[in-house]
Amino acid sequence: MTTQPDHHGHELVPRPERTPAAVRVALAPLAPHRLSEMEQHKEQALGAALQDGKLGHLQYWLTYWQAQVEIERRPGLRSRYQAALGAVQSTTGSDAPEFRAARAELRAVESEARQAVSA
């Protein structure tokens, strides 16, 4: 694992290397309840890759979970994500301005996390 600067506060764990094992090890102390989701998603990606012969499914899976770890390991980013997720879940429908604003914030947090792990 490598330590990268966090622009939103301290980091809970170092940023993991880009390997499935390293990402899993980093996720375990941060969000152990998501490990089964990660494994299920990996099995789906592996099945899709075997079915169509494209590694892109596995690359997407790894990038997605690296970004999820990035969100979980940075308290400021995690707070923004949780607040936006809560706002999405508490709105009355997808036409509500609050819903659209919260979805935009979720996308912004996810984008920031993907950019951080791609740098």
Side-chain angles (χ1 to χ4, degrees):
M1 291 192 205
T2 59
T3 302
Q4 302 292 326
D6 180 27
H7 304 291
H8 301 282
H10 70 284
E11 300 169 346
L12 299 177
V13 300
R15 183 174 292 146
E17 297 294 330
R18 188 172 167 80
T19 67
V23 172
R24 187 179 199 295
V25 166
L27 184 64
L30 298 170
H33 61 282
R34 297 202 62 199
L35 289 172
S36 62
E37 176 189 358
M38 180 184 172
E39 290 302 313
Q40 181 181 9
H41 190 201
K42 181 174 73 174
E43 291 300 318
Q44 292 169 344
L46 182 58
L50 290 170
Q51 184 174 14
D52 67 15
K54 295 182 182 174
L55 291 178
H57 299 287
L58 295 170
Q59 292 167 330
Y60 172 82
W61 171 82
L62 186 55
T63 299
Y64 175 85
W65 283 99
Q66 274 190 293
Q68 294 303 302
V69 167
E70 188 70 13
I71 291 167
E72 293 290 341
R73 74 184 200 89
R74 291 172 44 187
L77 207 54
R78 185 175 191 279
S79 293
R80 286 176 53 206
Y81 188 83
Q82 291 297 328
L85 189 59
V88 163
Q89 293 170 344
S90 69
T91 57
T92 56
S94 60
D95 292 334
E98 300 85 11
F99 179 87
R100 290 191 300 274
R103 288 289 299 159
E105 176 66 358
L106 283 174
R107 285 191 299 273
V109 168
E110 290 167 347
S111 177
E112 183 176 333
R114 279 191 310 274
Q115 286 178 339
V117 298
S118 296

